[in-house]
């Protein structure tokens, strides 16, 4: 999974229910689902095939707040009979004299109205339904196993209205029209996975299909009105897929790869097996791509198809085997696209963040299941980078390949991975493991040394420093140093920006819009040219700074940007409205309509980012009354924790005033 913010760790998998895997192996689940939109319920008929490895008189599935009926069992190929069961403590226990080495099929009907893990929404007045199993437990909407250590082949089916799509893990094998515009749809998997990776999406989508070099179908889903955003949103998908298959050295393990954006998702993306679900905030146009694209999340969730889905960490202690690998391989895929400097710069950023975390006393061992996301993701990635540096590319690659081959469709711990590297390397890695993985402190000096040894760009970046302003700083901005180094100088001494500096790349110009907030006359016309940049961040910053610095020309700036909306969070549009409302002589007849538009963005139908922005602006203007307050109240019970947290904090602030 990839989060918007890396401060909160949500996912800790439990050790406590590991025992059942010792006597039963659930093999296959077939679920025929009825998604009841009106009542936000799911009802289903489910068949579980299982093999007993030990005799026992009771087995269970996790099933949160569910009701069951028609519970039956058949032994081997014999006919079905009623099965005694009890439904307590969010589990369903099946009671039967189960015999060792015998296969059984259990059947039941169930229904649930999930409070989490399955979400019913409206988007543009159309229904949308999606799931999130990691950290939320699939057992809220499908009777399954919270324990990740028993992997199951899941096959989901449903009957749906023809104008909507139903997308699930695996291959879409049946699409049969029934009466009254209904269609029966089935998906089948070939290989097993942990229950937290079970997923489905129901909604209005179109799809575009490509094929990887190895022949795997890549399906890009999009909202019908977004056909022009497909290319920028999914840019590099095919290249990254081909790259990762080659780099990992193990063929993509699933039948196809589907990616579906959903409204108001809880995280940035989630790597459900063969079905990545991601936030539609990453559906971007050509300009949005420059500022906030899906490339990193795309690569991260794709890498999880191997690291997480094919081999799954046995417990929270080894969570880095998922997040660290996904983060590192995503970075390798990005290196293939954006180049070495980008790669080393990202690694440098993690060194700085990790050392800050240690300094603030929040550092942990990588094997601490309570570690921060920063530790699991960035330190995990760093361990792999340092390990590869130590043992060499060839050994590293061979070890990863062997690790995946040996543990495919199974569960792993840190020792499983390290032993494969040791085997290829021919030496013990216990010192490395203690130093880089087990120790509480992150070895940032060693990490920094590795970077300096590997990259001249990093050396230059370190050298360029204007924390203490020197005569060289002006030179840096004029002559050739990397964009990243120029951005650093601009952030440290913004007053050195001259008209010439505007001749730099988009990134450097963006840094000007961010750091040069006092605009001298000498660069005014260059600064105005920032309003034409193909970056909504740059335009937002520049509009605000120009409006503040040159009060007499506010009309000019507002007229120039009146049609710009910005990202999916409407960043430019909302700023424009607020500045307009604060420019009394401009567009005077229109104020009420604009104010209503701003208030409207606090409504439930907009996504969390849009609403948070609108609430913040209204609060800033001391204008969060009736409609805004009532929407804020409703936001407190939203399904997205970011929305809830924000709404509670803001309403507390408002009450204190
Ligand atoms: Zn992840």
């Amino acid at each position: 999974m990839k989060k918007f913010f890396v401060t909160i760790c949500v996912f800790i998998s439990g050790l406590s229910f590991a025992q059942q895997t010792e006597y039963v192996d659930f093999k296959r689940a077939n679920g025929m689902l009825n998604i009841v939109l009106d009542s936000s319920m799911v009802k289903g008929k489910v068949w579980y095939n299982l093999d007993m490895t030990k005799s026992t008189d009771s087995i269970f599935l996790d099933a949160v707040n569910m009701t069951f009926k028609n519970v039956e069992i058949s032994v081997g190929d014999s006919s079905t009979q009623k099965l005694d069961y009890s439904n307590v403590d969010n589990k369903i226990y099946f009671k039967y004299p189960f015999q060792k080495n015998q296969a059984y099929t259990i059947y039941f009907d169930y229904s649930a109205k999930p409070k989490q893990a399955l979400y019913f929404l409206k988007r543009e007045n159309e229904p949308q339904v999606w799931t999130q199993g990691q950290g939320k437990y699939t057992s809220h909407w499908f009777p399954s196993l919270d324990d990740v250590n028993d992997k199951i082949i899941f096959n989901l089916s449903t009957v749906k209205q023809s104008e909507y799509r139903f997308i699930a893990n695996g291959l879409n094998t049946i699409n049969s029209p029934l009466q009254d515009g209904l269609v029966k749809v089935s998906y089948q998997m070939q290989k097993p996975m942990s229950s937290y990776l079970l997923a489905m999406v129901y909604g209005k989508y179109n799809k575009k299909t490509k094929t990887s070099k190895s022949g795997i179908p890549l399906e890009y889903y999009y909202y019908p009105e977004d056909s022009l955003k497909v290319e920028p949103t999914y840019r590099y998908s095919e290249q990254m897929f081909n790259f990762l298959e080659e780099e990992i050295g193990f063929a993509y393990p699933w039948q196809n790869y589907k990616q579906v954006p959903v409204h108001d998702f809880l995280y940035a993306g989630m790597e459900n097996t063969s079905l990545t679900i991601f936030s539609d905030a990453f559906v971007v146009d050509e300009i949005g791509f420059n500022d906030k694209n899906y490339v990193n999340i795309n690569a991260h969730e794709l890498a999880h198809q191997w690291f997480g889905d094919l081999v799954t960490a046995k417990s929270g202690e080894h969570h880095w085997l998922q997040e660290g690998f996904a983060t590192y391989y995503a970075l390798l895929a990005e290196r293939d696209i954006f180049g070495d400097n980008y790669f080393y710069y990202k690694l440098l950023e993690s060194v700085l963040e990790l050392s800050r975390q240690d300094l603030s006393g929040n550092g942990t061992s990588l094997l601490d299941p309570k570690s921060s996301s920063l530790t699991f993701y960035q330190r995990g990635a760093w361990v792999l980078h340092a390990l590869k540096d130590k043992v060499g590319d060839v050994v590293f690659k061979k070890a990863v390949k062997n690790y995946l081959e040996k543990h495919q469709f199974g569960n792993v711990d840190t020792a499983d991975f390290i032993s494969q590297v040791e085997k290829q390397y021919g030496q013990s890695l216990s010192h490395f493991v203690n130093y880089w993985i087990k120790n509480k402190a992150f070895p940032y000096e060693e990490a920094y040394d590795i970077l300096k040894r590997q990259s001249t760009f990093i050396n230059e970046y370190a050298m360029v420093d204007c924390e203490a302003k020197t005569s060289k700083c002006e030179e840096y901005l004029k002559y050739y140093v990397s964009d990243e180094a120029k951005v650093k100088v601009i952030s440290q001494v913004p007053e050195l920006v001259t008209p010439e500096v505007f001749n730099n790349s988009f990134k450097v110009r963006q840094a000007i819009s961010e750091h040069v907030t006092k605009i001298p006359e000498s660069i005014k016309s260059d600064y105005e040219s920032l309003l034409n940049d193909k970056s909504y961040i740059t335009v937002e910053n520049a509009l605000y700074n120009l409006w503040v610095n040159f009060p007499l020309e506010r009309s000019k700036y507002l007229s120039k940007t009146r049609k710009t909306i910005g990202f999916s969070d409407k960043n430019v549009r909302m700023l424009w409205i607020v500045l307009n409302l604060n420019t009394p002589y401009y567009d005077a007849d229109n104020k009420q309509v604009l104010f209503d538009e701003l208030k409207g963005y606090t409504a439930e139908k907009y996504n969390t980012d849009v609403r948070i922005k609108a609430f913040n602006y209204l609060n800033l203007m001391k204008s969060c009354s009736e409609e805004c307050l009532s929407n804020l109240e409703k936001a407190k019970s939203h399904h997205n924790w970011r929305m809830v947290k924000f709404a509670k904090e803001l309403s507390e602030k408002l009450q204190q005033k």
Side-chain angles (χ1 to χ4, degrees):
M1 165 163 66
K2 181 91 188 200
K3 301 177 184 88
F4 284 101
F5 303 113
V6 284
T7 46
I8 296 173
C9 170
V10 207
F11 172 67
I12 305 296
S13 118
L15 272 170
S16 52
F17 4 63
Q19 304 87 340
Q20 183 168 256
T21 53
E22 287 167 23
Y23 48 87
V24 55
D25 179 9
F26 286 89
K27 307 292 272 186
R28 187 184 300 270
N30 291 312
M32 179 69 204
L33 302 178
N34 176 10
I35 302 164
V36 192
L37 297 172
D38 300 338
S39 54
S40 302
M41 286 183 76
V42 57
K43 299 180 179 182
K45 296 177 184 300
V46 178
W47 294 259
Y48 262 101
N49 300 120
L50 51 103
D51 288 349
M52 297 306 296
T53 44
K54 277 184 192 167
S55 298
T56 184
D57 54 6
S58 159
I59 59 172
F60 71 84
L61 289 169
D62 294 289
V64 182
N65 291 326
M66 288 182 182
T67 54
F68 290 88
K69 56 181 189 184
N70 304 328
V71 182
E72 294 173 350
I73 188 166
S74 62
V75 185
D77 298 329
S78 70
S79 57
T80 56
Q81 49 181 290
K82 271 211 167 347
L83 174 59
D84 192 15
Y85 72 96
S86 64
N87 183 7
V88 284
D89 296 336
N90 293 327
K91 286 182 169 55
I92 176 167
Y93 291 91
F94 304 105
K95 293 170 184 170
Y96 191 83
F98 292 100
Q99 299 299 313
K100 183 179 171 177
N101 296 333
Q102 179 65 55
Y104 298 87
T105 301
I106 288 175
Y107 169 84
F108 52 79
D109 292 349
Y110 81 99
S111 70
K113 190 176 166 67
K115 289 205 182 86
Q116 61 178 49
L118 175 65
Y119 302 91
F120 291 80
L121 292 87
K122 277 250 184 300
R123 186 192 164 274
E124 307 282 328
N125 295 319
E126 293 285 359
Q128 192 183 87
V129 181
W130 48 261
T131 59
Q132 168 60 32
Q134 190 175 28
K136 299 288 170 191
Y137 296 117
T138 296
S139 56
H140 281 263
W141 66 272
F142 192 89
S144 51
L145 296 170
D146 292 349
D147 182 2
V148 300
N149 291 289
D150 189 353
K151 295 196 171 187
I152 300 168
I153 294 175
F154 287 98
N155 303 316
L156 294 185
S157 304
T158 196
V159 171
K160 63 165 186 80
Q161 297 283 340
S162 59
E163 68 264 38
Y164 297 101
R165 283 191 192 261
F166 171 78
I167 309 154
N169 312 86
L171 185 67
N172 180 195
T173 49
I174 297 174
N175 259 313
S176 349
L178 310 169
Q179 288 169 331
D180 305 325
L182 296 176
V183 181
K184 183 182 172 179
V185 191
S186 292
Y187 280 78
Q188 293 216 327
M189 292 188 69
Q190 277 173 339
K191 300 288 186 180
M193 65 178 183
S194 302
S195 300
Y196 79 92
L197 296 164
L198 184 65
M200 62 167 175
V201 180
Y202 179 91
K204 243 190 175 157
Y205 290 98
N206 287 350
K207 136 178 119 163
K208 190 167 180 171
T209 306
K210 297 265 181 177
T211 308
S212 77
K213 229 186 218 174
S214 57
I216 299 287
L218 311 175
E219 300 180 5
Y220 310 151
Y221 287 83
Y222 60 96
Y223 301 138
E225 69 275 18
D226 283 346
S227 61
L228 294 177
K229 295 181 178 172
V230 176
E231 191 285 321
T233 300
Y234 288 106
R235 194 172 293 169
Y236 305 124
S237 288
E238 211 181 321
Q239 180 181 341
M240 293 193 295
F241 192 98
N242 293 334
F243 172 83
L244 282 182
E245 262 206 316
E246 175 86 39
E247 177 67 29
I248 294 168
F250 186 101
Y252 177 79
W254 315 103
Q255 296 132 296
N256 53 34
Y257 187 52
K258 304 173 284 292
Q259 296 179 82
V260 189
V262 301
H263 187 56
D264 241 333
F265 196 45
L266 305 177
Y267 308 102
M270 175 64 205
E271 68 274 19
N272 312 294
T273 309
S274 80
L275 170 55
T276 284
I277 292 176
F278 66 99
S279 163
D280 64 11
F282 291 102
V283 173
V284 291
D285 61 16
E286 280 291 337
I287 298 177
F289 177 86
N290 294 329
D291 294 325
K292 186 182 178 180
N293 59 54
Y294 173 56
V295 175
N296 177 266
I297 314 294
N298 187 339
H300 179 102
E301 309 310 344
L302 175 58
H304 271 311
Q305 298 296 321
W306 287 266
F307 306 106
D309 297 5
L310 175 66
V311 296
T312 309
K314 282 175 185 159
S315 66
E317 206 183 338
H318 307 286
H319 191 44
W320 79 277
L321 294 174
Q322 283 158 211
E323 297 308 340
F325 274 76
T327 304
Y328 190 57
Y329 278 87
L331 208 48
L332 294 174
E334 286 185 295
R335 178 188 199 163
D336 185 54
I337 300 164
F338 303 122
D340 284 354
N341 290 1
Y342 177 92
F343 175 74
Y344 290 117
Y345 187 69
K346 288 282 161 190
L347 285 170
L348 176 65
E349 280 184 328
S350 350
V351 174
L352 298 175
E353 282 179 50
L354 285 162
S355 63
R356 271 197 292 271
Q357 180 179 256
D358 276 4
L359 280 172
S360 65
N362 296 320
T364 54
S365 153
L366 189 52
L367 300 181
D368 182 342
K370 293 201 171 85
S371 290
S372 67
S373 300
L374 180 66
T375 299
F376 282 134
Y377 289 61
Q378 307 299 341
R379 181 170 178 171
W382 250 107
V383 163
L384 297 176
H385 190 63
L387 184 59
K388 198 187 205 180
D389 180 61
K390 182 176 178 65
V391 303
D393 286 12
V394 176
V395 164
F396 183 86
K397 238 178 129 163
K398 186 87 178 73
V400 169
K401 184 170 185 253
N402 290 351
Y403 162 73
L404 292 174
E405 267 167 9
K406 179 162 182 203
H407 300 284
Q408 54 181 301
F409 308 108
N411 295 79
V412 285
D413 59 26
T414 302
D416 291 328
F417 171 61
I418 295 297
S419 69
Q420 290 300 326
V421 187
E422 284 177 331
K423 216 183 223 173
Q424 295 302 314
Y425 187 47
Q427 289 180 45
S428 163
L429 288 166
S430 60
H431 178 71
F432 179 92
V433 169
N434 283 330
Y435 201 63
W436 283 89
I437 298 178
K438 287 190 182 161
N439 265 5
K440 224 171 138 179
F442 173 71
Y444 60 90
E445 280 172 16
E446 285 75 0
Y448 196 31
D449 285 345
I450 292 175
L451 287 182
K452 284 199 283 195
R453 180 156 46 72
Q454 291 176 331
S455 161
T456 50
F457 157 78
I458 291 293
N459 284 301
E460 179 210 85
Y461 185 81
M463 182 195 76
V464 172
D465 199 335
C466 299
E467 202 63 76
K469 191 172 155 187
T470 68
S471 58
K472 276 195 174 165
C473 294
E474 267 171 77
E475 308 278 301
Y476 292 145
L477 288 178
K478 274 186 209 149
Y479 301 111
Y480 184 78
V481 290
S482 66
D483 282 358
E484 286 79 2
K486 281 182 181 157
V487 168
K488 187 173 169 188
V489 175
I490 291 168
S491 75
Q492 291 170 327
V493 277
E495 65 275 16
L496 290 184
V497 170
T498 60
E500 280 177 306
V501 185
F502 285 85
N503 296 331
N504 277 291
S505 74
F506 139 93
K507 256 196 244 166
V508 176
R509 290 171 62 90
Q510 188 165 84
I512 297 175
S513 79
E514 203 176 316
H515 300 288
V516 182
T517 52
K518 267 193 196 148
I519 311 171
E521 278 291 337
S522 60
I523 60 166
K524 180 172 168 237
S525 67
D526 296 289
Y527 207 104
E528 286 170 352
S529 74
L530 295 174
L531 291 175
N532 302 325
D533 274 23
K534 293 202 174 311
S535 155
Y536 293 130
I537 294 177
T538 306
V539 172
E540 184 188 358
N541 291 338
L543 172 61
Y544 179 75
N545 289 330
L546 287 163
W547 187 89
V548 171
N549 277 266
F550 305 107
L552 295 178
E553 302 194 44
R554 286 176 177 174
S555 299
K556 183 169 95 184
Y557 303 135
L558 288 169
S559 296
K560 196 163 169 40
T561 47
R562 93 175 284 138
K563 293 209 170 112
T564 313
I565 304 292
F567 289 132
S568 56
D569 69 0
K570 302 184 195 294
N571 66 326
V572 180
R573 178 66 184 169
M574 270 194 250
L575 173 67
W576 187 88
I577 292 174
V578 172
L579 296 181
N580 180 316
L581 294 173
N582 287 285
T583 312
Y585 57 86
Y586 181 73
D587 211 8
D589 299 341
N590 224 355
K591 302 288 186 205
Q592 190 57 46
V593 177
L594 289 172
F595 184 63
D596 290 344
E597 183 184 335
L598 183 62
K599 272 194 305 187
Y601 291 139
T602 61
E604 240 173 327
K605 67 174 176 178
Y606 292 102
N607 73 38
T608 301
D609 298 324
V610 172
R611 299 178 74 189
I612 289 179
K613 245 190 172 70
F615 281 124
N616 273 332
Y617 276 129
L618 287 163
N619 178 41
L620 211 66
M621 293 159 66
K622 301 199 173 22
S623 305
C624 186
S625 51
E626 291 150 33
E627 184 183 341
C628 167
L629 284 177
S630 123
N631 284 334
L632 189 63
E633 202 49 44
K634 280 185 226 152
K636 287 183 190 168
S637 54
H638 196 262
H639 69 269
N640 190 322
W641 60 271
R642 285 197 300 133
M643 186 77 255
V644 174
K645 185 166 176 277
F646 173 87
K648 285 185 177 163
E649 283 170 6
L650 180 58
S651 86
E652 223 164 83
K653 252 194 245 164
L654 289 172
Q655 276 159 15
Q656 279 164 6
K657 275 178 190 167

